């Protein structure tokens, strides 16, 4: 039982009025482990999001108990208003094969991803599974490990049946000379209200729908997804989001329940793209 959630507060005055804040969360393993405990492949749910904060609810999709920490990012679009450049590194990681959950091979070897330019401070990494160059995308849960100035390590565990999976990532930090290196960064966001999910491994545990960007990107962007409880009632499901068939115009949002109980959940999505040389 993941409980009611961990309260997260935004800095006072950061978002005012009826701000349409979108929240993205990703599990991380960068903490001091006690007794070398297992790092759990946990699914985060951003609940009760307001302009003041949100509740982080966490459910373990793993077959083993363990510890986990979380990264979080709050995003607010400002249409027509240019913001100072952000220090963001974005990329697509190669796909890997995954065996069925709870069997050997459900967690392939870790992959270390170098940044094209180091950060001045430890960045925060966000991950979402996808199907680029993959016939059947496994609903893998990504964990950001060893977040460093010049790289991080991806650990991913399958929460469903066997298949391949690749990952989109965005790392956010500070540039060595201050300011940001992404002069041409464009951001689009949205929210999908609650959908019904059956229990995991029961027909109806997966939902999908097309998402269209408000304006087209120059090239296919990096897409990040996180479950929410917008308009949900009753038990809140813990779906794993997959960004499939991403184009400059939109993508197919797929979500599969990792929960052993039926319930409802929606999803936030954030797309980040840019012109030549800013990624």
């Amino acid at each position: 039982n993941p409980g009611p959630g961990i309260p997260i507060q935004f800095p006072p005055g950061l978002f005012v009025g009826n701000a349409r804040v979108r929240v993205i969360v990703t599990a991380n393993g960068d903490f001091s482990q006690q007794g070398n405990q297992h790092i759990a492949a946990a699914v985060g749910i951003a609940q009760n999001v307001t302009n003041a904060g949100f509740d982080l609810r966490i459910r373990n999709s793993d077959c083993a108990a363990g510890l986990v920490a979380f990264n979080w990012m709050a995003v607010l679009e400002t249409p027509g208003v240019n913001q100072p450049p952000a220090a963001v590194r974005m990329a697509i990681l190669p796909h890997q094969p995954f065996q069925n959950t709870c069997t050997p091979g459900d967690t392939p070897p870790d992959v270390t991803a170098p940044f094209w330019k180091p950060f001045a401070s430890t960045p925060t990494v966000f991950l979402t599974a996808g199907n680029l160059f993959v016939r059947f995308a496994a609903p893998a849960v990504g964990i950001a490990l060893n977040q460093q100035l010049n790289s991080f390590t991806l650990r991913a565990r399958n929460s469903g049946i066997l298949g391949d999976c690749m990952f989109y990532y965005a790392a956010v930090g500070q540039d060595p000379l201050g300011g940001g290196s992404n002069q041409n960064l464009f951001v689009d966001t949205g929210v999908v209200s609650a959908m019904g999910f059956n229990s995991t491994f029961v027909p109806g545990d997966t939902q999908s729908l097309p998402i269209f960007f408000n304006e087209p990107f120059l090239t296919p962007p990096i897409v990040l997804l996180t479950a929410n409880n917008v308009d949900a009632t009753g038990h809140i499901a813990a779906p794993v989001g997959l960004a499939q068939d991403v184009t400059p115009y939109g993508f197919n949002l797929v979500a599969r329940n990792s929960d052993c109980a039926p319930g409802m959940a929606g999803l936030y999505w954030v797309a980040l793209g840019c012109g030549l040389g800013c990624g």
Side-chain angles (χ1 to χ4, degrees), residues 130-132 134 168 243-247 250-252:
N131 73 332
L132 189 65
V134 172
Y168 296 98
Q244 297 197 346
D245 306 323
V246 179
T247 75
F251 67 100
N252 191 35

Side-chain angles (χ1 to χ4, degrees), residues 3-271:
I6 302 167
I8 305 294
Q9 293 185 339
F10 302 143
L14 180 63
F15 303 120
V16 297
N18 296 319
R20 296 186 299 176
V21 181
R22 322 301 191 193
V23 173
I24 299 295
V25 302
T26 289
N28 82 59
D30 291 352
F31 51 84
S32 178
Q33 296 185 61
Q34 299 180 4
N36 196 31
Q37 291 192 45
H38 176 66
I39 299 174
V43 177
I45 308 162
Q47 296 192 157
N48 311 322
V49 176
T50 69
N51 60 14
F54 70 100
D55 295 323
L56 172 61
R57 187 162 170 256
I58 303 167
R59 183 188 183 279
N60 189 10
S61 73
D62 211 325
C63 300
L67 299 176
V68 71
F70 264 85
N71 299 334
W72 64 265
M73 172 173 64
V75 181
L76 175 67
E77 289 185 69
T78 57
V81 179
N82 292 330
Q83 300 294 339
V88 181
R89 316 286 187 258
M90 302 175 291
I92 298 170
L93 298 179
H95 65 84
Q96 295 176 285
F98 292 82
Q99 296 301 314
N100 292 335
T101 185
C102 301
T103 64
D106 66 355
T107 306
D110 296 347
V111 174
T112 297
F115 302 134
W116 67 269
K117 179 182 179 182
F119 288 97
S121 60
T122 302
T124 306
V125 175
F126 301 93
L127 298 159
T128 289
N131 73 332
L132 189 65
F133 308 126
V134 172
R135 289 188 63 183
F136 178 81
V141 177
I143 308 169
L145 304 176
N146 305 319
Q147 299 169 108
Q148 300 180 19
L149 302 183
N150 58 0
S151 68
F152 80 98
T153 300
L154 165 71
R155 178 172 297 171
R157 182 191 173 279
N158 189 12
S159 66
I161 63 174
L162 79 168
D164 285 11
C165 183
M166 43 70 62
F167 274 87
Y168 296 98
Y169 84 76
V172 183
Q174 293 181 330
D175 273 333
L177 299 179
S181 58
N182 298 94
Q183 300 289 338
N184 301 323
L185 181 68
F186 297 97
V187 179
D188 196 4
T189 73
V191 57
V192 174
S193 296
M195 301 176 287
F197 293 88
N198 216 331
S199 305
T200 185
F201 292 111
V202 175
D205 66 354
T206 302
Q207 301 288 350
S208 66
L209 72 163
I211 301 294
F212 298 96
F213 300 136
N214 292 301
E215 293 186 15
F217 287 84
L218 180 63
T219 59
I222 300 300
V223 175
L224 304 172
L225 300 170
T226 288
N228 65 44
N229 71 331
V230 175
D231 295 332
T233 58
H235 178 68
I236 307 302
V240 178
L242 295 98
Q244 297 197 346
D245 306 323
V246 179
T247 75
Y249 309 98
F251 67 100
N252 191 35
L253 187 156
V254 177
R256 181 187 178 278
N257 192 10
S258 67
D259 205 331
C260 53
M264 299 184 72
L267 289 102
Y268 292 116
W269 60 265
V270 173

